[in-house]
Amino acid sequence: KNRRAVSYMSEFRKAFAQAKHIAIITGAGVSAESGVPTFRGKNEKWRKWQSQDLATPEAFSRYPSRVWEFYHYRRELVLNKKPNAAHLAIAECEARLKKQGRSVVVITQCIDDLHQQAGSKHVLKIHGNLMETRCLSCGEVTVNRRSPICAALKGKGVFVAVSRCDESDCDGLLRPNVVFFGETLDSHILTNVEKEMEMCDLCLVVGTSSIVYPAAMFGPRVASRGVPVAEFNMSTTPKTEYFTYHFQGPCGTTLPAALA
Ligand code: BJW
Ligand code: ZN
């Protein structure tokens, strides 16, 4: 906590050249330059609601139609977006380092597919996937990239019925397979994250406000082992002071330079 964040790229480049296992933690800011809105920006509202009001189990059980409309809107938005220079730099880095026997893992809070679309292979999606549904009755998880997700959501507007589970005799209500506020993260994924946090010898924290837990403590936990941690963000965050490096600016510009 007492190490001041510095921004010397050449120092970071030395740490990068020596690292064998790199963990890259990403948040909504990594997709911002692809045109995907972040959560806590000034004008990040859907109609009059903020996602903190809609991405909750309470909202979903009271107003499933409104919550599905919100996710439908975001699915449609993301289906038209492409990976940006930051996603591509991360994916390219993984491929390049793999040939040298070094590893890169992406631990992402993003529920879009842009890391995988860019070519990242080793991705842990800790907050779920916008393109998956989960049945409230039988728990079945299904990949669903249909547009629109169901006929009732075509156009916009009046909700009639969200899709129902296809499993025989189930017909349960489907929800987005994402982690709402107040829900626990998938324990299997969390166990893998813990392993990566223990193993990494360099950590990047990219485009996250570092206020949502448990993800907000991943970078600081790695830093507390004495491992270099570099933050890439438009601004400082509540966790900046824990990190070794802070590269200010759009990660579509700063990351390709750092990982070249
Ligand atoms: C750029 C950029 C560019 C922009 N280049 N940078 C401990 C203390 C206090 C509270 C808690 C705690 N532990 C748990 C809690 C409760 C809660 C929590 O953390 N609340 C906080 C708000 C205080 N956490 C939970 O509920 C979690 N569950 C849990 O811990 O269960 C056990 C438990 C429950 C209750 C109590 C205690 C324990 C679950 C959290 C799930 C989060 N879900 C969401 C929605 C997912 C589905 C969806 O998308 O709809 O995940 S919320 C939302 O926030 C989403 C995001 O993944 C997440 C993080 O946001 P992110 O990615 O950081 O985005 P932004 O917008 O905040 O920041 C963008 C950043 O990018 C900014 O910094 C910009 O500057 C930057 N930027 N352009 C570089 N071009
Ligand atoms: Zn079912």
Side-chain angles (χ1 to χ4, degrees):
K1 189 171 171 144
N2 40 24
R3 290 193 65 174
R4 282 254 313 280
V6 293
S7 68
Y8 299 127
M9 185 60 90
S10 62
E11 228 184 85
F12 170 83
R13 298 277 304 164
K14 276 184 219 152
F16 175 56
Q18 288 166 5
K20 296 218 161 39
H21 299 292
I22 302 174
I24 306 183
I25 299 159
T26 69
V30 78
S31 296
E33 290 161 76
S34 295
V36 182
T38 61
F39 290 90
R40 293 169 184 84
K42 277 174 235 112
N43 34 28
E44 311 299 17
K45 280 204 175 125
W46 178 73
R47 303 204 181 151
K48 61 186 169 173
W49 296 286
Q50 295 206 306
S51 58
Q52 292 94 307
D53 307 324
L54 296 165
T56 72
E58 294 76 23
F60 188 74
S61 64
R62 284 191 70 174
Y63 318 107
S65 57
R66 183 189 300 160
V67 174
W68 255 122
E69 252 191 272
F70 170 62
Y71 282 95
H72 166 67
Y73 162 81
R74 291 174 57 202
R75 284 168 53 93
E76 296 290 310
L77 186 124
V78 157
L79 281 170
N80 296 311
K81 304 302 182 202
K82 299 269 168 293
N84 65 53
H87 297 110
L88 294 168
I90 291 169
E92 194 272 328
C93 177
E94 180 184 359
R96 177 162 32 102
L97 268 54
K98 190 174 179 199
K99 293 184 196 138
Q100 307 165 358
R102 302 157 71 200
S103 72
V104 173
V105 60
V106 177
I107 298 163
T108 188
Q109 299 168 79
C110 296
I111 60 174
D112 62 48
D113 270 347
L114 296 173
H115 282 301
Q116 290 95 329
Q117 272 187 51
S120 285
K121 299 281 181 265
H122 193 187
V123 182
L124 300 175
K125 295 182 75 67
I126 64 168
H127 288 169
N129 192 325
L130 195 47
M131 297 303 160
E132 291 175 356
T133 59
R134 185 166 86 240
C135 175
L136 286 182
S137 301
C138 72
E140 180 80 2
V141 171
T142 307
V143 175
N144 181 325
R145 302 185 59 88
R146 283 197 301 267
S147 169
I149 184 166
C150 70
L153 288 163
K154 187 157 188 152
K156 47 80 242 172
V158 186
F159 164 84
V160 184
V162 297
S163 4
R164 291 273 166 179
C165 184
D166 284 338
E167 293 295 294
S168 52
D169 298 329
C170 181
D171 203 41
L173 183 63
L174 298 181
R175 61 165 277 177
N177 190 30
V178 302
V179 183
F180 291 143
F181 270 113
E183 294 186 321
T184 53
L185 279 64
D186 181 290
S187 65
H188 175 73
I189 295 174
L190 260 187
T191 302
N192 283 329
V193 168
E194 309 276 332
K195 266 190 244 155
E196 299 294 345
M197 299 284 88
E198 280 305 308
M199 191 172 72
C200 70
D201 50 12
L202 176 67
C203 177
L204 276 54
V205 179
V206 181
T208 175
S209 57
S210 286
I211 64 171
V212 173
Y213 287 83
M217 73 186 189
F218 295 161
R221 266 237 312 279
V222 172
S224 74
R225 288 199 288 123
V227 168
V229 181
E231 181 177 60
F232 295 78
N233 203 302
M234 297 296 287
S235 52
T236 57
T237 71
K239 302 302 186 197
T240 301
E241 60 181 321
Y242 292 82
F243 301 146
T244 327
Y245 307 96
H246 174 80
F247 297 110
Q248 196 139 341
C251 59
T253 304
T254 55
L255 259 191
L259 299 181

